[in-house]
Amino acid sequence: MRVFVAGATGAIGRYLVPQLLANGHDVVAMTRSPSKTDALRAAGAYPLAVDGLDRDAVIAAVTGAEPEVVVHEMTAITDVGNPRRIDAEFAPTNALRTKGTDHLLEAARAAGARRFVAQSFSGWPNIRQGGPVKTEDDPLDPDPPAPMRRTLDAIRYLERAVVDAEGIEGVVLRYGGFYGAMADMPPKFVETIRKRRMPVVGNGAGVWSFVHLDDAAAATVAAVERGEPGIYNIVDDEPAPVTDWLPCLAQALGAKPPRRVPAWLGRLAGGEAAISVMTQVRGSSNAKAKRELDWQPRHPSWRHGFAEILGARDRVVA
Ligand SMILES: NC(=O)c1ccc[n+]([C@@H]2O[C@H](COP(=O)([O-])OP(=O)(O)OC[C@H]3O[C@@H](n4cnc5c(N)ncnc54)[C@H](OP(=O)(O)O)[C@@H]3O)[C@@H](O)[C@H]2O)c1
């Protein structure tokens, strides 16, 4: 079928486009940047350079392409990392999750697309009460730390707009924390860990869920091809506390083990959001995605996946 991918050159898009092509789909690949179109064309996709915040341009691009499925993978997360400034740093991403979603949904409907698949996030948006691992039926955090409120509002907006959209099958994929080949790791995050600037704070009991980008792309192909509309957590099999995964990631990146600092010091340095992600957040279950999308992660645990980061072969196209 013909699939329109907005965000085709991002971390997930670079894994997704080749997997869609390998499954026999025609891919119309959207980027903002004309300089990236040659690589997309060389990979076998039909590239378009369009700004996702330009409503008219998006509608023209999608209606011109006449896709059966539209996939929204647009974010602007390249330069984030300050827990006190999450909402400020995510402002461009939040615009893509609100206005960008509205434009793309309107365009998909106008083009007569059957299905719309959109990127969301699983992990810190989960409610921070009750058990350590949450399903899609658990509520999102009703009271996130102040620096994350607008970002969670944008996630809620995207999810509701997509799932409630009339006349089109809306699918939301709540990806866990991405990891993959070294080239796909957020440079700021890697640098922070290598310089031992990301300590385990307090009891380090905050639970995170990860997903290898190869698996996230495979789940997205599955969601393009099958499954009921709705929300799916796309995470690996092993939600884990910071005390477990952070030392492993540091080792995988060739860094010394992370320092440990008491909660009061973590709060002083990083504020409430830092305390939340280090000691309070919950992880996510992938049972629904496995059951209903017939998807299995090839990297079931970050424990082995992290160890491959430095040696991973590049499977990206752009
Ligand atoms: N779940 C997660 O953990 C998660 C989710 C997303 C990202 N990340 C991390 O964040 C880092 C950066 O992410 P990324 O590589 O995906 O890059 P990014 O800068 O977030 O861009 C993602 C995609 O969105 C597109 N885009 C951004 N603004 C756009 C606009 N106004 N109009 C149209 N398209 C637009 C980009 O296109 P062009 O730049 O080609 O125009 C690109 O294809 C990566 O290390 C990644 O792993 C993590």
Side-chain angles (χ1 to χ4, degrees):
M1 64 181 98
R2 188 172 308 150
V3 184
F4 188 104
V5 180
T9 55
I12 174 79
R14 293 199 299 272
Y15 283 76
L16 176 61
V17 170
Q19 290 196 27
L20 286 167
L21 291 165
N23 265 26
H25 301 298
D26 291 331
V27 178
V28 181
M30 182 177 131
T31 167
R32 255 170 322 179
S33 326
S35 62
K36 297 183 186 171
T37 54
D38 282 351
L40 289 165
R41 190 176 294 107
Y46 180 84
L48 289 176
V50 179
D51 183 344
L53 298 177
D54 180 339
R55 173 182 170 273
D56 294 346
V58 171
I59 290 175
V62 181
T63 52
E66 295 185 343
E68 194 170 337
V69 180
V70 174
V71 184
H72 176 359
E73 302 285 7
M74 293 184 291
T75 53
I77 306 186
T78 302
D79 204 22
V80 302
N82 181 344
R84 289 186 181 279
R85 291 180 34 80
I86 291 172
D87 280 344
E89 291 184 341
F90 271 74
T93 293
N94 294 342
L96 292 165
R97 286 177 170 158
T98 53
K99 286 197 186 91
T101 300
D102 284 346
H103 300 337
L104 210 50
L105 254 178
E106 186 182 353
R109 283 218 207 77
R114 178 178 54 79
R115 200 169 178 86
F116 190 94
V117 179
Q119 169 175 171
S120 182
F121 184 68
S122 195
W124 67 257
N126 284 329
I127 188 167
R128 291 173 293 159
Q129 287 163 19
V133 179
K134 302 301 180 192
T135 73
E136 296 81 350
D137 293 332
D138 286 302
L140 296 181
D141 192 346
D143 187 23
M148 305 167 115
R149 278 188 200 142
R150 277 177 279 149
T151 302
L152 185 53
D153 284 347
I155 286 172
R156 282 185 203 282
Y157 183 95
L158 175 146
E159 294 194 346
R160 212 160 291 150
V162 172
V163 170
D164 292 348
E166 282 183 19
I168 194 162
E169 299 168 2
V171 180
V172 166
L173 301 180
R174 289 180 179 166
Y175 301 118
F178 287 155
Y179 71 95
M182 193 58 198
D184 300 307
M185 297 297 290
K188 228 176 175 176
F189 187 60
V190 169
E191 188 69 1
T192 304
I193 291 174
R194 283 192 166 150
K195 292 194 166 156
R196 300 183 86 202
R197 288 191 187 137
M198 186 170 180
V200 175
V201 175
N203 64 5
V207 177
W208 290 45
S209 281
F210 292 95
V211 66
H212 193 288
L213 280 158
D214 214 20
D215 288 326
T220 310
V221 174
V224 162
E225 294 176 347
R226 56 185 176 271
E228 290 297 313
I231 298 178
Y232 296 89
N233 292 336
I234 307 299
V235 297
D236 74 9
D237 291 349
E238 199 182 348
V242 176
T243 42
D244 279 2
W245 66 259
L246 185 51
C248 280
L249 183 56
Q251 190 181 15
L253 297 176
K256 288 184 183 157
R259 296 190 167 90
R260 300 196 72 116
V261 302
W264 67 264
L265 189 52
R267 183 175 281 109
L268 199 66
E272 275 315 305
I275 292 296
S276 176
V277 299
M278 282 281 158
T279 69
Q280 300 166 354
V281 294
R282 305 305 206 256
S284 306
S285 160
N286 61 14
K288 180 181 177 189
K290 284 179 163 176
R291 193 175 62 237
E292 298 187 20
L293 296 178
D294 189 21
W295 163 79
Q296 287 287 339
R298 290 197 300 171
H299 298 80
S301 169
W302 51 268
R303 220 173 266 285
H304 306 292
F306 284 177
E308 290 175 16
I309 290 174
L310 284 177
R313 279 193 312 122
D314 241 354
R315 277 188 290 261
V316 301
V317 297

